[in-house]
Amino acid sequence: MPKKVVPEEARRRRRPTRQGAVLSEGLIVRTALRVLREHGTGGLTARRLGGALGADPSTLYRYFAGMDDLARAVGNELMGRALDGWTAQGDWRADLRSLGLALHSSYLAHPQAAVLTASRVSGRPREIAVDEAILGLLRGAGLTDRSAVRFYHAFIDLALAFAALDAGSLALPEEARRADEDMWGTTYARLPAATHPNIAATADRLAARMPHSAYPVVLDTLLDGIAAELTGRQPGHVAGPTESDDTRPGTGSG
């Protein structure tokens, strides 16, 4: 049975840790990000985090119900950082695009943490603020609530899926990542046209493009779809199959 988290006002240490810091949720999350960067997802343990903070590992459980709760808090922090430098300018498409790129960049700034948290739902304030902003932009653009939720689902899952994919590459050892990227030039580019005519015809372009994220291209495709739905809607329009609820299982991310 998980331990009960102590309320915020009751859990503050009166004395600093051995590192001279006063513990807080924010400090623990920031330190967890550093531990993840230095030791990877398997290296985030209560013992190692306590050592980095200069505190007994058991102290962490006054702030978080467990390491899984801490992981959700890390994801919440990455979500929130996307909003820190983002401001809506009044153009729904430009605002959604810039917010999507900000989310992607926030996760890629901490690839090990992204691998750990991109598929999680924290239900914490900073994550909720991102979701509120996305839905506000979609509804403000003129979408029905049903369509706004459908496109919200696509938008947030797209951002987090590419964050996890691209972060997975960045989290690899440098030698392994370089070997993967070089494969387009060392293997694909040498395939003969007689057996692989399509790859041979596009080899140079593949080598130049594939080491980079496809997220901006796919994001623009999604935004094109939203714009097409807004343009195509006429007064009295009845929701068709494209606006029906999708009952297939989904990730529920974001």
Coordinates of all heavy atoms in Angstrom, one line a residue, residues 23-64:
L23 N 14.4 21.3 0.9 CA 13.7 20.5 -0.1 C 12.3 21.1 -0.4 O 11.7 21.7 0.4 CB 13.5 19.1 0.5 CG 14.7 18.1 0.6 CD1 14.2 16.8 1.1 CD2 15.3 18.0 -0.8
S24 N 11.9 20.8 -1.7 CA 10.6 21.2 -2.2 C 10.3 20.3 -3.3 O 11.2 19.6 -3.9 CB 10.6 22.6 -2.6 OG 11.4 22.8 -3.8
E25 N 9.1 20.2 -3.7 CA 8.7 19.4 -4.9 C 9.5 19.8 -6.1 O 10.0 19.0 -6.9 CB 7.2 19.5 -5.2 CG 6.4 18.6 -4.4 CD 4.9 18.5 -4.9 OE1 4.7 18.9 -6.1 OE2 4.1 18.0 -4.2
G26 N 9.6 21.1 -6.3 CA 10.3 21.7 -7.5 C 11.8 21.3 -7.5 O 12.3 20.9 -8.5
L27 N 12.4 21.4 -6.4 CA 13.8 21.0 -6.3 C 14.0 19.5 -6.6 O 15.0 19.1 -7.3 CB 14.4 21.3 -4.9 CG 15.9 20.9 -4.6 CD1 16.8 21.6 -5.6 CD2 16.3 21.2 -3.2
I28 N 13.1 18.7 -6.0 CA 13.3 17.2 -6.3 C 13.1 16.9 -7.7 O 13.8 16.1 -8.3 CB 12.3 16.5 -5.4 CG1 12.6 16.7 -3.9 CG2 12.2 15.0 -5.7 CD1 11.5 16.1 -2.9
V29 N 12.1 17.5 -8.4 CA 11.8 17.3 -9.8 C 13.0 17.7 -10.6 O 13.5 17.0 -11.5 CB 10.6 18.0 -10.2 CG1 10.4 18.0 -11.8 CG2 9.3 17.3 -9.6
R30 N 13.6 18.9 -10.3 CA 14.7 19.4 -11.1 C 15.9 18.5 -10.9 O 16.7 18.2 -11.9 CB 15.1 20.8 -10.7 CG 14.0 21.9 -11.1 CD 14.5 23.3 -10.9 NE 14.8 23.6 -9.5 CZ 13.9 24.1 -8.7 NH1 12.6 24.2 -9.0 NH2 14.3 24.3 -7.4
T31 N 16.1 18.0 -9.7 CA 17.2 17.1 -9.4 C 17.0 15.8 -10.1 O 17.9 15.1 -10.7 CB 17.4 16.9 -7.9 OG1 17.6 18.2 -7.3 CG2 18.6 16.0 -7.6
A32 N 15.8 15.3 -10.2 CA 15.4 14.1 -10.9 C 15.8 14.2 -12.4 O 16.3 13.3 -13.0 CB 14.0 13.7 -10.7
L33 N 15.5 15.4 -13.0 CA 15.9 15.6 -14.4 C 17.4 15.5 -14.6 O 17.8 14.9 -15.6 CB 15.4 17.0 -14.8 CG 13.9 17.1 -15.1 CD1 13.5 18.6 -15.2 CD2 13.5 16.3 -16.3
R34 N 18.1 16.0 -13.6 CA 19.6 15.9 -13.7 C 20.1 14.4 -13.6 O 20.9 14.0 -14.3 CB 20.3 16.8 -12.7 CG 21.8 16.7 -12.6 CD 22.4 17.8 -11.9 NE 21.9 17.9 -10.5 CZ 22.4 17.2 -9.5 NH1 23.4 16.4 -9.7 NH2 21.9 17.4 -8.2
V35 N 19.5 13.7 -12.6 CA 19.8 12.3 -12.4 C 19.5 11.5 -13.7 O 20.3 10.6 -14.1 CB 19.1 11.7 -11.2 CG1 19.3 10.2 -11.1 CG2 19.7 12.4 -9.9
L36 N 18.3 11.8 -14.3 CA 18.0 11.1 -15.5 C 18.9 11.4 -16.6 O 19.3 10.5 -17.4 CB 16.5 11.5 -15.9 CG 15.4 10.8 -15.1 CD1 14.1 11.6 -15.3 CD2 15.2 9.4 -15.5
R37 N 19.3 12.6 -16.7 CA 20.3 13.0 -17.8 C 21.6 12.3 -17.6 O 22.3 11.8 -18.6 CB 20.5 14.5 -17.8 CG 21.4 15.0 -18.9 CD 21.5 16.5 -19.0 NE 22.0 17.1 -17.8 CZ 21.3 17.8 -16.9 NH1 20.0 18.0 -17.1 NH2 21.9 18.3 -15.9
E38 N 22.0 12.1 -16.4 CA 23.4 11.5 -16.1 C 23.4 10.0 -16.0 O 24.4 9.4 -16.4 CB 23.9 12.1 -14.8 CG 24.2 13.6 -14.8 CD 24.5 14.2 -13.4 OE1 24.4 13.4 -12.4 OE2 24.8 15.4 -13.4
H39 N 22.2 9.4 -15.7 CA 22.2 8.0 -15.4 C 21.2 7.2 -16.2 O 21.1 6.0 -16.1 CB 22.0 7.7 -13.9 CG 23.1 8.3 -13.0 ND1 24.3 7.8 -12.9 CD2 23.1 9.4 -12.3 CE1 25.0 8.5 -12.1 NE2 24.3 9.5 -11.7
G40 N 20.3 7.9 -17.0 CA 19.3 7.2 -17.8 C 18.1 6.8 -16.9 O 18.1 7.0 -15.7
T41 N 17.1 6.3 -17.6 CA 15.8 6.0 -16.9 C 16.0 4.9 -15.9 O 15.3 4.9 -14.8 CB 14.8 5.5 -18.0 OG1 15.3 4.3 -18.7 CG2 14.5 6.6 -18.9
G42 N 16.9 4.0 -16.1 CA 17.1 2.9 -15.1 C 17.9 3.4 -13.8 O 18.0 2.8 -12.8
G43 N 18.5 4.6 -14.0 CA 19.3 5.2 -12.9 C 18.6 6.0 -11.9 O 19.2 6.5 -10.9
L44 N 17.3 6.3 -12.2 CA 16.5 7.1 -11.2 C 16.0 6.3 -10.1 O 14.9 5.6 -10.3 CB 15.4 7.8 -12.0 CG 14.5 8.8 -11.1 CD1 15.4 9.9 -10.6 CD2 13.4 9.4 -12.0
T45 N 16.7 6.3 -9.0 CA 16.2 5.5 -7.8 C 16.2 6.5 -6.7 O 16.8 7.5 -6.7 CB 17.2 4.4 -7.5 OG1 18.5 5.0 -7.2 CG2 17.4 3.4 -8.7
A46 N 15.4 6.1 -5.6 CA 15.3 6.9 -4.4 C 16.7 7.1 -3.8 O 17.0 8.2 -3.3 CB 14.3 6.2 -3.5
R47 N 17.5 6.0 -3.8 CA 18.8 6.1 -3.2 C 19.7 7.1 -3.9 O 20.3 8.0 -3.3 CB 19.5 4.8 -3.2 CG 20.8 4.8 -2.5 CD 21.4 3.4 -2.5 NE 20.6 2.4 -1.7 CZ 20.7 2.3 -0.4 NH1 21.5 3.1 0.3 NH2 19.9 1.5 0.3
R48 N 19.7 7.0 -5.3 CA 20.6 7.9 -6.0 C 20.0 9.4 -5.9 O 20.8 10.3 -5.8 CB 20.6 7.5 -7.5 CG 21.5 8.4 -8.3 CD 21.7 7.8 -9.7 NE 22.9 6.9 -9.7 CZ 22.9 5.6 -10.1 NH1 21.8 5.2 -10.7 NH2 23.9 4.9 -10.1
L49 N 18.7 9.5 -6.0 CA 18.1 10.9 -5.9 C 18.4 11.5 -4.5 O 18.7 12.7 -4.4 CB 16.6 10.8 -6.2 CG 15.9 12.1 -6.3 CD1 16.5 13.1 -7.3 CD2 14.4 11.9 -6.7
G50 N 18.2 10.7 -3.5 CA 18.5 11.2 -2.1 C 20.0 11.6 -2.0 O 20.3 12.6 -1.4
G51 N 20.9 10.8 -2.6 CA 22.3 11.2 -2.6 C 22.5 12.5 -3.3 O 23.3 13.3 -2.8
A52 N 21.9 12.7 -4.4 CA 22.1 13.9 -5.2 C 21.5 15.1 -4.4 O 22.0 16.3 -4.6 CB 21.4 13.8 -6.6
L53 N 20.5 14.9 -3.6 CA 19.9 16.0 -2.8 C 20.6 16.2 -1.5 O 20.3 17.2 -0.8 CB 18.4 15.7 -2.6 CG 17.5 15.8 -3.8 CD1 16.2 15.1 -3.6 CD2 17.2 17.2 -4.2
G54 N 21.4 15.2 -1.1 CA 22.0 15.3 0.2 C 21.0 15.0 1.3 O 21.1 15.6 2.4
A55 N 20.0 14.2 1.0 CA 18.9 13.9 2.0 C 18.7 12.4 2.1 O 19.1 11.6 1.2 CB 17.6 14.5 1.6
D56 N 18.2 11.9 3.2 CA 17.8 10.5 3.3 C 16.8 10.1 2.2 O 15.8 10.9 2.0 CB 17.3 10.2 4.7 CG 17.1 8.7 4.9 OD1 16.2 8.2 4.4 OD2 18.0 8.2 5.6
P57 N 17.0 9.0 1.5 CA 16.0 8.7 0.5 C 14.5 8.6 1.0 O 13.6 8.9 0.2 CB 16.5 7.3 0.0 CG 17.9 7.3 0.3 CD 18.1 8.1 1.6
S58 N 14.3 8.2 2.2 CA 13.0 8.1 2.7 C 12.3 9.5 2.8 O 11.0 9.5 2.8 CB 13.0 7.5 4.1 OG 13.7 8.3 5.1
T59 N 13.1 10.6 2.8 CA 12.5 11.9 2.8 C 11.6 12.2 1.6 O 10.7 12.9 1.6 CB 13.6 13.0 3.0 OG1 14.4 12.7 4.1 CG2 13.0 14.4 3.2
L60 N 12.0 11.5 0.5 CA 11.3 11.8 -0.8 C 9.8 11.4 -0.7 O 9.0 12.0 -1.3 CB 12.0 11.0 -1.9 CG 13.4 11.3 -2.2 CD1 14.0 10.3 -3.2 CD2 13.6 12.7 -2.6
Y61 N 9.5 10.4 0.2 CA 8.2 9.9 0.3 C 7.3 10.9 1.1 O 6.1 10.6 1.2 CB 8.2 8.5 0.9 CG 8.9 7.6 -0.1 CD1 10.2 7.2 0.2 CD2 8.3 7.1 -1.2 CE1 10.9 6.3 -0.7 CE2 9.0 6.3 -2.1 CZ 10.3 5.9 -1.8 OH 10.9 5.0 -2.7
R62 N 7.9 11.9 1.6 CA 7.0 13.0 2.2 C 6.5 13.9 1.1 O 5.5 14.6 1.3 CB 7.8 13.8 3.2 CG 8.3 13.1 4.4 CD 9.2 13.9 5.3 NE 8.5 15.1 5.8 CZ 7.7 15.2 6.8 NH1 7.5 14.1 7.5 NH2 7.2 16.3 7.2
Y63 N 7.0 13.8 -0.1 CA 6.6 14.7 -1.2 C 5.9 13.9 -2.3 O 5.1 14.5 -3.0 CB 7.9 15.4 -1.8 CG 8.6 16.3 -0.8 CD1 9.4 15.8 0.1 CD2 8.3 17.7 -0.8 CE1 10.1 16.7 1.1 CE2 8.9 18.5 0.1 CZ 9.8 18.0 1.0 OH 10.4 18.9 1.9
F64 N 6.3 12.7 -2.5 CA 5.7 11.9 -3.5 C 5.3 10.5 -3.0 O 6.0 9.9 -2.1 CB 6.7 11.7 -4.7 CG 7.1 13.0 -5.3 CD1 8.3 13.6 -4.9 CD2 6.3 13.6 -6.2 CE1 8.7 14.8 -5.4 CE2 6.7 14.9 -6.8 CZ 7.9 15.5 -6.4

